Amino acid sequence: MARAILVALISIVWSASAFADAGWPYYGGDEGGLRYSTASQITPENVDDLIPIWTYSTGDLKLRDPKTMRRTSMQVTPILVGDKLLACSSFNEVYALDPGTGKEIWRFDPKIPTEKIFPANKFNCRGVASWHDAVAAEGAVCRDRVLAATNDARVLALDLATGKPCADFGADGEVKLDKGMELKWPGEFQITSAPVVVGDVVIVGSSIGDNARVVAPHGTVRAFDVRTGAAKWSWDPVPRDAADPAAASWGEGYKNVGHANVWAPMSSDAKRGLVFLPTSSPSPDFFGGLRPGDNKHANSVVALKAETGELAWAFQTVHHDVWDYDLPAQPTLATIDVDGVKRDVVVQPTKQGFVFVLDRDTGVPVFPVEERPVPQGGVAGEVLSPTQPYPSHIPALAPQKLSVDDAYGFTPWDEGACREAIASARNEGLYTPPSEKGTIMFPMTGGGINWGGITIDPVKQVLYANTTRGPHLITLFPSEKFDELDAKYPEKEVSKQEGAPWGMIREILFSPLGLPCNRPPWGVLAAVDLKTGKISWESTLGTTEELAPLNITMATGTPTLGGSVVTAGGVVFIGATMDKYLRAFDAASGAELWQGRLPATGFATPMTYEWKGRQFVVIAAGGHGQLGTEPGDSLVAFALAGPNDPKPTWWSRKIDRPGGRMWINFGLIFVGTLVVVGGLWWLIKRLWRARR
């Protein structure tokens, strides 16, 4: 009898979980950032029937002037908490929407300053977090909270029900971060990624302008009591105490260098009480002579005890970084089979295209990592690391060497120019040090893999990652020449690296026709079997539709910003490209199945959820000021057409797909040519008859 009751209970629980709506309560889907959804309504067989269901506009295009909008990058991924879809605008306005209709429920504006403010990483907000007070009385104000952080370095706590500030958090619902020093310009220091909440602690990193100076703001990670806003702890990746064993890896640099900040999203493991940080490079990015040594714990995956900030472990992915190869992506927590045993791991992707797999409790590599010799011979005063860590289980997901034979161009002329540019630069492969001659960095500092991170299907144990494939040319110069070179190259990034003997010029290696000097594809989506370490498939990601005249559409791939999501239905959704589409790929084969037209480029990671029995896929479409795409201010939700919805049309299937606008333009040119030729022919005939 007891056994029968137990079986019945298990059956009920299983049924409830099997048919419960799939949610998205965290920036990365779950606290570990898998970006996986159990939603299965949308499949490879029916994905072509998706239609836009609702679009929400933040209103910024109408309310803000064009110059301000060109300083934005809309990278938000909403979260679903209870009956509200929560997101933030590029200007940190937090809003709650009805998940089924996109109708605004409430909105809070922290009124960040925008006049004459030039944020180093644009006006940007990648997401928000939530927290439930288990001990507060039901119905109490701010029992459920929305936590957000701002471009002007504030942490906000809002009531989930109303959007009003929680008065008991800090000063009237906000805590202002102490930046530690005077900023060189407004916008040098900001917060762009979503806070992380573990237990009763809210944790934030920071985003700091690169290459400005040696003595720069510290990359301190800060934690606050989620109820009161009181400071709980702070942790600086650069050890400031000479007694700290890690200080020996900095020479005298530990005393004053800045950065090594955590600008990318963090992840957490509440059961273990850990928060996982992807730290960045120390200041400045391209010269390390004033910080000799490996520079622990910069460029590292770091696990801290969330309650106290105590270091649990750290693993460094780049020693003594002089390439801006910081960790740009959320550490992803997964459980995988290793030699027949389930292992809890941290999977960390990098700009170089590497994927490190680490034990979650110790940080020890689960698969072998080799220390390999790397090119030497830096500029005067530089002290390079003789080796760098290379993971060996999973191959690099982006090429790491650009040869003269890889030069690309549409014509022999521009290909020849690229061949010459490659041949004239210092170019010995990955980790070639920056030089006065000019050094090719491939992949460039934008990736490889960037802040969009990776996606993991925990059932199939397959990893999905989008990569950018393009070269940078990094040229160092004596710092006293800064004013001269800054005036000479107004269109280039010329940085003084104040306090260092060397300044820096960073530029993408383009052909005279404006194409990357490496062969396509320039954007790729790949799938990797985590158990075998083998790449299962690669698909080109993106077209030239928005980049070429007349919307000429070539499947070359484009640089990518943003990540993907994979579903139990077997579909990978991703925006991230420089054309205006959300795409769907078959998770098993990599076949591109569908494209949904967006009002602007979708440089954001999509999310998906089920609401009242219907699966939605939502993505932000806001463009990116730094990449020159048109700004936008929209969230767009797609779902399968219901009985009362219009079905996909010929226009949506043919014209609102890559290449559709190209053929319209070609058609208009053809018709226009016929009209002109016909008109000329009629005029000539008329003149001929008049002469007769």
Side-chain angles (χ1 to χ4, degrees), residues 91-247:
F91 302 98
N92 300 119
E93 292 174 291
V94 181
Y95 45 91
L97 308 179
D98 181 291
T101 66
K103 182 179 179 180
E104 185 178 294
I105 300 171
W106 57 253
R107 183 185 186 112
F108 175 78
D109 184 359
K111 298 186 181 342
I112 66 169
T114 59
E115 288 296 320
K116 298 181 180 179
I117 303 293
F118 296 87
N121 294 282
K122 305 301 175 186
F123 289 108
N124 178 20
C125 179
R126 292 194 182 96
V128 299
S130 70
W131 176 75
H132 172 73
D133 191 342
V135 302
E138 187 173 350
V141 174
C142 288
R143 185 188 188 204
D144 291 287
R145 302 187 178 205
V146 182
L147 286 306
T150 67
N151 286 286
D152 61 351
R154 288 179 279 162
V155 181
L156 313 175
L158 309 175
D159 186 358
L160 174 64
T162 65
K164 295 180 179 179
C166 297
D168 56 352
F169 182 86
D172 299 321
E174 70 176 40
V175 173
K176 295 181 180 179
L177 269 60
D178 179 3
K179 304 170 186 69
M181 64 175 60
E182 184 179 352
L183 301 183
K184 285 190 71 70
W185 75 93
E188 183 185 12
F189 186 104
Q190 58 189 131
I191 307 174
T192 56
S193 289
V196 167
V197 180
V198 186
D200 296 339
V201 181
V202 55
I203 304 163
V204 295
S206 60
S207 182
I208 307 171
D210 288 341
N211 302 314
R213 48 180 170 163
V214 172
V215 182
H218 294 183
T220 305
V221 178
R222 298 167 173 87
F224 304 92
D225 185 295
V226 74
R227 290 185 178 86
T228 67
K232 292 274 291 185
W233 52 262
S234 62
W235 183 79
D236 190 335
V238 180
R240 303 296 173 178
D241 185 350
D244 188 325

Side-chain angles (χ1 to χ4, degrees), residues 227-372:
R227 290 185 178 86
T228 67
K232 292 274 291 185
W233 52 262
S234 62
W235 183 79
D236 190 335
V238 180
R240 303 296 173 178
D241 185 350
D244 188 325
S249 67
W250 289 83
E252 294 294 305
Y254 74 91
K255 297 177 180 179
N256 56 18
V257 301
H259 300 190
N261 52 306
V262 178
W263 62 265
M266 297 175 281
S267 54
S268 62
D269 184 329
K271 181 179 177 181
R272 287 174 167 84
L274 296 176
V275 59
F276 299 91
L277 320 176
T279 66
S280 69
S281 51
S283 61
D285 285 337
F286 296 98
F287 178 75
L290 303 178
R291 46 177 171 85
D294 284 353
N295 304 152
K296 297 176 180 179
H297 300 287
N299 301 86
S300 299
V301 187
V302 177
L304 300 181
K305 296 180 180 179
E307 183 64 28
T308 64
E310 180 185 351
L311 178 67
W313 56 260
F315 178 85
Q316 192 170 57
T317 60
V318 178
H319 310 317
H320 190 82
D321 186 9
V322 291
W323 304 273
D324 194 19
Y325 277 156
D326 49 14
L327 288 182
Q330 183 177 29
T332 299
L333 311 187
T335 300
I336 63 174
D337 294 317
V338 181
D339 297 327
V341 178
K342 296 286 186 186
R343 294 282 298 273
D344 290 342
V345 298
V346 180
V347 186
Q348 181 64 59
T350 75
K351 290 181 177 181
Q352 304 94 295
F354 287 139
V355 178
F356 291 89
V357 182
L358 311 173
D359 183 272
R360 203 181 305 176
D361 291 310
T362 65
V364 174
V366 171
F367 303 114
V369 173
E370 304 169 356
E371 287 286 339
R372 298 181 187 173

